[in-house]
């Protein structure tokens, strides 16, 4: 690969911003969430069914304490669930108030249920009201239109909410688990074992060649909309290095051998728990044999071909704000048109 790739900084990291400090050292403070939820400088992100409450201006809703005074306290169990997301001063803080503490409040899936017979749900109760009085948006739709701090908070909240939802029971013995450490661990009630939030690594790679000219490999996955082309990607298997995961996935999906693999950046992808780790990989062979299952098409593009096909709509690239797009545009050497 070109010397530029070795020398350049890693790609921007969409969905994670340094402006919000996770302040992990505070998670063990007794009653941290209960105390913070009453403080005027605290703002709370709402999550319901994996989606985020949206403010009137289209941004992420960051609720002041007064809007949540009727919601049951975090010490009263997990209905609803509260987490500590972190704190910020300056850029990541709510304007005019610094530092800001951030919490997430995860409303139960059935909080909006109309049926009064569902146990514990009052359709006129504070949780149902919260669901009904906000518009809701998925992280994919919300993140491109909010500032980096809001995108990072939203990503953290959605990722952590998904982990709790999937770990209400101990994976070893099946007994219930309870939330601890301001939402950052769970504990098995029977064995006392602590469970930690998990992240599943996946590799995503711009496969490039230099001969007979510089070209980029893009593929079309079976389940994508027509004409969508993007970088190859796949999950890292147990006991496998990231580099070998890149080599294996490229070989499996298109039959191409790659040798040199260079890290370019990463992106959290909490659907539900992935971390996309981005690479540039140099091809040693060029013949393309799409596997026909995961990938139904694969092509080599020169820069001129890619620009022409994107402009004409023949090729639809992944959205701005995705690491796939960043890998493609880094190779291309600038922005490409289209969403
Ligand atoms: Zn257990």
């Amino acid at each position: 690969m070109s010397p530029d790739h070795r020398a350049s900084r890693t790609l921007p990291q969409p969905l994670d911003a340094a402006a919000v400090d996770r302040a992990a050292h505070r998670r063990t403070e007794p009653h941290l969430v209960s105390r913070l939820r009453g403080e005027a400088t605290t703002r709370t992100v709402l999550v319901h069914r994996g989606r985020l409450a949206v403010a009137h201006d289209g941004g992420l809703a960051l609720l002041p304490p007064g809007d949540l005074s009727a919601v049951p306290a975090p010490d009263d169990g997990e209905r609803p669930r509260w987490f500590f997301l972190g704190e910020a001063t300056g850029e990541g803080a709510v304007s005019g108030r610094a530092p800001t503490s951030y919490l997430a409040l995860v409303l139960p899936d059935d909080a909006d249920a109309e049926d009064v017979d569902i146990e514990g749900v009052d359709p006129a109760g504070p949780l149902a009201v919260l669901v009904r009085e906000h518009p809701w948006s998925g992280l994919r739709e919300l993140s491109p239109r909010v500032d980096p701090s809001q995108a990072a908070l939203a990503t953290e909240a959605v990722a952590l909410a998904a982990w709790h939802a999937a770990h209400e029971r101990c994976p070893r013995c099946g007994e219930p688990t309870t939330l601890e450490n301001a939402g950052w661990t769970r504990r098995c009630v029977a064995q006392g074992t602590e469970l930690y939030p998990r992240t599943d690594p996946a590799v995503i790679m711009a496969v490039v060649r230099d001969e007979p000219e510089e070209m980029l490999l893009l593929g079309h996955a079976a389940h994508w909309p027509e004409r969508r082309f993007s970088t190859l990607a796949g999950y890292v298997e147990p006991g496998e290095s990231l580099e070998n995961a890149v080599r294996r996935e490229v070989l499996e999906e298109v039959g191409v051998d790659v040798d040199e693999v260079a890290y370019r950046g990463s992106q959290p992808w909490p659907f539900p728990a992935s971390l996309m780790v981005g690479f540039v990989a140099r091809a040693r062979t060029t013949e393309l044999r799409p596997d026909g299952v995961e990938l139904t098409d694969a092509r080599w593009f020169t820069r001129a071909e890619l620009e022409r096909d994107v402009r004409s709509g023949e090729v639809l690239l992944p959205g701005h704000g995705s690491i796939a797009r960043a890998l493609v545009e880094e190779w291309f050497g600038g922005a490409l048109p289209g969403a």
Side-chain angles (χ1 to χ4, degrees):
M1 66 205 57
S2 74
D4 293 358
H5 281 132
R6 293 196 194 98
S8 59
R9 298 172 55 226
T10 54
L11 296 171
Q13 289 161 15
L15 304 186
D16 192 13
V20 177
D21 176 0
R22 294 187 171 206
H25 61 280
R26 298 201 61 187
R27 295 170 188 165
T28 52
E29 287 180 23
H31 311 294
L32 175 68
V33 172
S34 300
R35 282 188 288 112
L36 290 179
R37 74 169 282 207
E39 290 183 3
T41 54
T42 296
R43 293 293 178 273
T44 299
V45 175
L46 295 184
V47 180
H48 181 236
R49 296 177 186 261
R51 302 198 302 161
L52 297 141
V54 177
H56 295 300
D57 66 1
L60 178 66
L62 294 168
L63 278 70
D67 290 11
L68 299 168
S69 50
V71 174
D75 294 337
D76 294 347
E78 295 192 53
R79 194 179 174 84
R81 283 191 180 118
W82 292 82
F83 315 138
F84 174 61
L85 296 178
E87 56 196 19
T89 53
E91 198 187 321
V94 174
S95 69
R97 296 173 183 274
T100 303
S101 298
Y102 290 105
L103 302 177
L105 171 60
V106 184
L107 305 173
D109 281 0
D110 59 6
D112 56 348
E114 295 288 340
D115 186 348
V116 289
D117 292 326
I118 290 180
E119 191 187 350
V121 176
D122 171 359
L127 304 185
V129 170
L130 284 174
V131 174
R132 286 176 199 168
E133 73 185 10
H134 288 94
W136 295 84
S137 177
L139 182 61
R140 284 186 185 86
E141 297 75 48
L142 181 74
S143 57
R145 54 171 211 254
V146 300
D147 72 45
S149 301
Q150 290 190 4
L153 286 166
T155 304
E156 184 182 355
V158 164
L160 200 50
W163 177 73
H164 282 275
H167 292 81
E168 291 178 349
R169 291 191 171 270
C170 173
R172 292 200 185 85
C173 71
E175 290 299 310
T177 60
T178 55
L179 179 153
E180 292 187 351
N181 289 328
W184 287 90
T185 56
R186 299 189 68 84
R187 190 179 296 277
C188 170
V189 297
Q191 299 172 308
T193 331
E194 251 185 331
L195 306 177
Y196 294 89
R198 291 286 310 274
T199 294
D200 301 327
V203 289
I204 182 162
M205 44 278 177
V207 179
V208 300
R209 61 191 265 200
D210 296 338
E211 301 291 338
E213 58 184 311
E214 290 185 6
M215 296 176 110
L216 172 69
L217 172 58
L218 298 177
H220 173 79
H223 64 278
W224 286 349
E226 216 182 325
R227 293 177 287 144
R228 160 63 51 82
F229 277 80
S230 188
T231 49
L232 308 187
Y235 281 103
V236 180
E237 295 189 341
E240 185 176 47
S241 67
L242 296 168
E243 292 82 352
N244 281 339
V246 170
R247 296 184 181 106
R248 177 183 52 76
E249 284 287 344
V250 176
L251 191 61
E252 284 176 4
E253 292 191 351
V254 293
V256 167
D257 246 336
V258 301
D259 48 20
E260 198 178 336
V261 173
Y263 174 70
R264 297 303 308 131
S266 65
Q267 175 176 40
W269 197 243
F271 307 105
S274 298
L275 174 69
M276 307 296 291
V277 189
F279 294 89
V280 174
R282 187 218 284 272
R284 207 159 44 181
T285 64
T286 57
E287 190 196 339
L288 298 176
R289 283 179 276 111
D291 66 12
V293 181
E294 280 190 65
L295 226 63
T296 49
D297 195 2
R299 299 182 202 167
W300 289 107
F301 293 87
T302 63
R303 287 185 179 84
E305 287 165 350
L306 183 62
E307 184 167 25
R308 179 198 66 202
D309 289 353
V310 169
R311 280 194 192 285
S312 71
E314 175 71 17
V315 162
L316 303 176
L317 291 179
H320 293 284
S322 66
I323 191 167
R325 179 88 180 199
L327 285 166
V328 170
E329 292 189 338
E330 184 187 43
W331 174 81
F332 181 75
L336 281 157

